[in-house]
Amino acid sequence: MSVPPPPPTLVQPAPREPAPRRRLWWHRLILGLWYRPVEVMDEARDRSAWGAAVLMCLISGGIGVLTVEAFRQQWSANRTMAWQLAGLAEAGVLAASFSLGAVTHAIARTLGGNGRFAPTASLFIVLFWVTDLPRLALAALLPTGTTFVQAATWTTWGFGYVLAVLLIRGQHHLSTRKSAAAVSVQMLAALALLKLGPVR
């Protein structure tokens, strides 16, 4: 004689909670953009990174100020005035970086993107300065017209452009063509004015 199956229970198991996303520390974000950029940007999706963005602006702006001959002359003449000029330069870098991030987000939204402002703008600022840091470091040590520095300029710019396209594609769910269009104006302007232009 077979044993009848137990009656069905009305108590359903509680749904499993999704695993919490681990915190993306600034050093993992900054260093990870160099050796595992796709994985890091996927992990950083829909996350703000204003702390890392401000840090990179301050570091890059500080290195950039040290490479300007006018600052060195002012430092020899009047250090108090030199510090004030450095502070103004840092504030300018912060404002310009925020504008770059805001413009990138606005263009992506105009092209049909659906990403949020804070993750797009802050991560764009981070990758922009992270990829430019080697050029800044070399320009602080070597003449900017040397072949080595110029090669580093084009290489880091190209790497930053590719990362910016991947960032917009992931954050705004746009095609690669539209993502490239969303960052082209900003990256070309940065190449002409900041990297190849008189401001070094």
Side-chain angles (χ1 to χ4, degrees):
M1 182 177 178
S2 61
V3 179
T9 178
L10 297 178
V11 179
Q12 298 295 327
R16 290 186 176 182
E17 292 287 337
R21 298 173 70 185
R22 62 177 179 172
R23 187 171 182 177
L24 185 60
W25 296 96
W26 64 266
H27 62 278
R28 290 181 51 239
L29 172 62
I30 293 172
L31 297 177
L33 285 173
W34 280 105
Y35 64 88
R36 52 186 186 96
V38 176
E39 180 183 345
V40 165
M41 284 194 290
D42 184 66
E43 188 176 352
R45 184 173 299 173
D46 298 325
R47 293 186 181 188
S48 300
W50 289 116
V54 172
L55 176 65
M56 291 308 305
C57 287
L58 294 177
I59 292 175
S60 301
I63 296 176
V65 167
L66 293 177
T67 63
V68 177
E69 184 63 29
F71 173 80
R72 296 175 181 174
Q73 295 175 356
Q74 186 63 54
W75 181 263
S76 301
N78 188 335
R79 294 191 176 184
T80 302
M81 184 64 68
W83 280 116
Q84 293 175 355
L85 291 176
L88 291 174
E90 291 282 19
V93 169
L94 286 169
S97 300
F98 181 83
S99 299
L100 277 176
V103 168
T104 302
H105 172 75
I107 295 176
R109 295 284 288 190
T110 302
L111 295 176
N114 57 3
R116 295 188 294 123
F117 172 76
T120 301
S122 61
L123 290 171
F124 180 83
I125 294 170
V126 171
L127 72 85
F128 180 88
W129 287 117
V130 164
T131 54
D132 193 47
L133 200 57
R135 179 196 69 86
L136 285 171
L138 288 174
L141 301 173
L142 301 173
T144 55
T146 60
T147 303
F148 189 63
V149 175
Q150 290 296 310
T153 297
W154 285 101
T155 302
T156 55
W157 179 83
F159 183 58
Y161 185 85
V162 171
L163 289 188
V165 172
L166 294 176
L167 170 69
I168 298 303
R169 190 176 68 176
Q171 293 285 354
H172 286 267
H173 305 95
L174 291 172
S175 65
T176 302
R177 179 176 57 84
K178 288 186 176 182
S179 300
V183 300
S184 291
V185 175
Q186 303 86 285
M187 295 300 293
L188 289 173
L191 178 66
L193 299 176
L194 179 64
K195 301 189 177 187
L196 298 179
V199 181
R200 300 182 188 269

